[in-house]
């Protein structure tokens, strides 16, 4: 049956994965595995991707951390960044793209250096998330869903980030802060511009202590993640 993988038959997930895998290898240039000698990969990024690959019986299991590493390195998953990951992992760029396009938090277009996600789900909305978002947009100069003209900030509204008890809240470079008021936004933006890391922002508004988004097992600003 041609589309049985869509019907949840036993083992269908494996077959679908195999079809995607085979499909990604067929045909044009994007399906060719690039040679490491053809691309320049930052040594630290290569080393970390290889460390991630070594953790799994199937190295492809490390695709997500590898893509996160590339995004942390370049700010977004440019075709060149994809090529680098593909060369290290011995995969096709097309295969990586099929995964990157599925996940919302991979940026497939140039994005500001610092990410600010303002939660606009129900708990945060009831406690003023829309004012917070508008204020954050004004303070950063970034439109919602876009980046500031100076390339410093990328602002998005987000569904529940799982920290409703500090609503309204935002994630700044992976560090959760809340409850926030519109007045906090300028301070946050000024401090980030001054070079403070997300972990140093409004320490009295942190969430369960500081913790960092794990970008390839390391936080964006190089501090220790828990
Ligand atoms: S609704 Fe905002 S963190 Fe859950």
């Amino acid at each position: 049956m041609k589309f049985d993988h869509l019907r949840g038959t036993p083992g269908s997930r494996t077959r679908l994965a195999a079809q995607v895998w085979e499909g990604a290898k067929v045909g044009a240039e994007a399906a060719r595995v690039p040679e490491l000698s053809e691309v320049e990969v930052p040594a630290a990024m290569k080393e970390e991707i290889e460390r991630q690959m070594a953790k799994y019986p199937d190295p492809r299991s490390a695709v997500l951390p590898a893509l996160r590493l590339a995004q942390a390195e370049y700010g977004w998953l440019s075709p060149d960044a994809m090529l680098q990951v593909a060369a290290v992992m011995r995969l096709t760029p097309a295969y990586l793209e099929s995964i990157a396009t599925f996940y919302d938090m991979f940026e497939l277009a140039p994005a500001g250096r610092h990410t600010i996600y303002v939660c606009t789900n129900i708990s945060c909305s009831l406690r003023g998330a829309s004012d917070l978002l508008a204020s954050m947009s004004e303070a950063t100069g970034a439109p919602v869903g876009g980046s500031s003209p100076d390339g410093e900030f990328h602002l998005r509204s987000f569904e529940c980030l799982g920290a409703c008890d500090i609503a309204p809240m935002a994630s700044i470079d992976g560090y959760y802060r809340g409850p926030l008021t519109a007045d906090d936004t300028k301070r946050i933006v000024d401090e980030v511009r001054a070079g403070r890391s997300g972990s140093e922002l409004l320490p009295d508004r942190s969430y369960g202590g500081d913790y960092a988004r794990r970008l390839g097992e390391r936080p964006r600003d190089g501090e220790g993640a828990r």
Side-chain angles (χ1 to χ4, degrees), residues 173-175 199 210-226:
D173 282 343
Y175 292 86
S199 65
D210 284 327
Y211 73 99
R213 177 177 55 189
R214 291 163 71 88
L215 290 167
E217 301 301 317
R218 68 192 169 114
R220 176 182 293 253
D221 56 14
E223 294 189 1
R226 293 195 315 169

Coordinates of all heavy atoms in Angstrom, one line a residue, residues 173-175 199 210-226:
D173 N 17.7 34.8 24.8 CA 18.8 33.9 24.5 C 18.7 32.7 25.3 O 19.7 32.1 25.7 CB 20.1 34.6 24.7 CG 20.5 35.6 23.6 OD1 19.9 35.5 22.5 OD2 21.4 36.5 23.8
G174 N 17.5 32.2 25.5 CA 17.3 30.9 26.1 C 17.1 31.0 27.6 O 16.9 30.0 28.3
Y175 N 17.2 32.2 28.2 CA 17.1 32.4 29.7 C 15.7 33.0 29.9 O 15.3 34.0 29.4 CB 18.1 33.4 30.2 CG 19.5 32.8 30.2 CD1 20.3 32.9 29.0 CD2 20.1 32.1 31.2 CE1 21.6 32.4 29.0 CE2 21.3 31.6 31.2 CZ 22.1 31.7 30.1 OH 23.3 31.1 30.0
S199 N 22.0 35.2 31.2 CA 22.0 34.8 32.6 C 22.1 35.9 33.6 O 21.8 35.8 34.8 CB 23.1 33.8 32.8 OG 24.4 34.4 32.7
D210 N 19.1 30.1 37.1 CA 19.4 30.3 35.6 C 19.5 29.0 35.0 O 20.1 28.1 35.5 CB 20.7 31.1 35.5 CG 20.5 32.6 35.8 OD1 19.4 33.1 35.5 OD2 21.4 33.2 36.3
Y211 N 19.0 28.9 33.8 CA 19.4 27.8 33.0 C 19.4 28.2 31.5 O 18.7 29.2 31.2 CB 18.4 26.6 33.2 CG 17.1 26.8 32.6 CD1 16.7 26.2 31.4 CD2 16.1 27.5 33.3 CE1 15.5 26.3 30.9 CE2 14.8 27.6 32.8 CZ 14.5 27.0 31.6 OH 13.3 27.2 31.1
A212 N 20.1 27.5 30.7 CA 20.3 28.0 29.4 C 19.7 27.0 28.4 O 19.6 25.8 28.7 CB 21.8 28.1 29.1
R213 N 19.3 27.6 27.3 CA 18.8 26.7 26.2 C 20.1 25.9 25.8 O 21.2 26.4 25.7 CB 18.4 27.6 25.0 CG 18.0 26.8 23.8 CD 17.5 27.7 22.8 NE 18.5 28.8 22.4 CZ 18.2 29.8 21.6 NH1 17.0 30.0 21.2 NH2 19.1 30.7 21.4
R214 N 19.8 24.7 25.5 CA 21.0 23.8 25.2 C 21.1 23.9 23.6 O 20.4 23.3 22.9 CB 20.8 22.4 25.6 CG 20.8 22.3 27.1 CD 20.2 21.0 27.6 NE 21.0 19.9 27.3 CZ 22.0 19.4 28.1 NH1 22.2 20.0 29.2 NH2 22.7 18.4 27.7
L215 N 22.1 24.7 23.2 CA 22.4 24.8 21.8 C 23.6 23.8 21.6 O 24.8 24.2 21.8 CB 22.8 26.2 21.4 CG 21.7 27.2 21.5 CD1 22.2 28.6 21.4 CD2 20.7 26.9 20.4
G216 N 23.3 22.6 21.2 CA 24.4 21.7 20.9 C 25.1 21.4 22.2 O 26.4 21.4 22.2
E217 N 24.4 21.3 23.3 CA 25.0 21.0 24.6 C 25.8 22.2 25.2 O 26.6 22.0 26.0 CB 25.9 19.8 24.5 CG 25.2 18.5 24.1 CD 24.0 18.2 25.0 OE1 24.2 18.3 26.2 OE2 23.0 17.8 24.5
R218 N 25.6 23.4 24.6 CA 26.3 24.5 25.2 C 25.4 25.7 25.0 O 24.8 25.9 23.9 CB 27.7 24.8 24.6 CG 27.6 25.3 23.2 CD 29.0 25.2 22.5 NE 28.8 25.4 21.1 CZ 29.2 26.5 20.5 NH1 29.8 27.4 21.1 NH2 29.0 26.6 19.2
P219 N 25.3 26.6 26.0 CA 24.5 27.8 25.8 C 25.2 28.8 24.8 O 26.4 28.7 24.6 CB 24.4 28.4 27.2 CG 25.6 27.9 27.9 CD 26.0 26.5 27.3
R220 N 24.4 29.6 24.3 CA 24.8 30.6 23.3 C 26.0 31.4 23.7 O 26.9 31.7 23.0 CB 23.6 31.5 22.9 CG 24.0 32.6 21.9 CD 22.8 33.5 21.7 NE 21.8 32.7 21.0 CZ 21.5 32.9 19.7 NH1 22.1 33.8 19.0 NH2 20.6 32.2 19.2
D221 N 26.0 31.8 25.0 CA 27.0 32.8 25.4 C 28.2 32.1 26.1 O 29.0 32.7 26.7 CB 26.4 33.8 26.4 CG 25.7 33.1 27.5 OD1 25.9 31.9 27.8 OD2 25.0 33.8 28.3
G222 N 28.2 30.7 25.9 CA 29.4 30.0 26.4 C 29.4 29.7 27.9 O 30.4 29.2 28.4
E223 N 28.3 30.0 28.6 CA 28.3 29.7 30.0 C 27.7 28.3 30.2 O 27.1 27.7 29.3 CB 27.4 30.7 30.7 CG 28.0 32.1 30.7 CD 27.3 33.1 31.6 OE1 26.3 32.6 32.2 OE2 27.7 34.2 31.6
G224 N 27.9 27.8 31.4 CA 27.5 26.4 31.7 C 26.0 26.3 31.7 O 25.3 27.0 32.4
A225 N 25.5 25.3 31.0 CA 24.1 24.9 31.1 C 23.9 23.8 32.1 O 24.8 23.1 32.4 CB 23.7 24.4 29.7
R226 N 22.7 23.8 32.7 CA 22.4 22.8 33.7 C 21.8 21.6 33.0 O 21.1 21.7 32.0 CB 21.5 23.3 34.7 CG 22.1 24.4 35.6 CD 21.4 24.6 36.8 NE 19.9 24.7 36.6 CZ 19.0 24.8 37.5 NH1 19.4 24.7 38.7 NH2 17.7 24.9 37.2

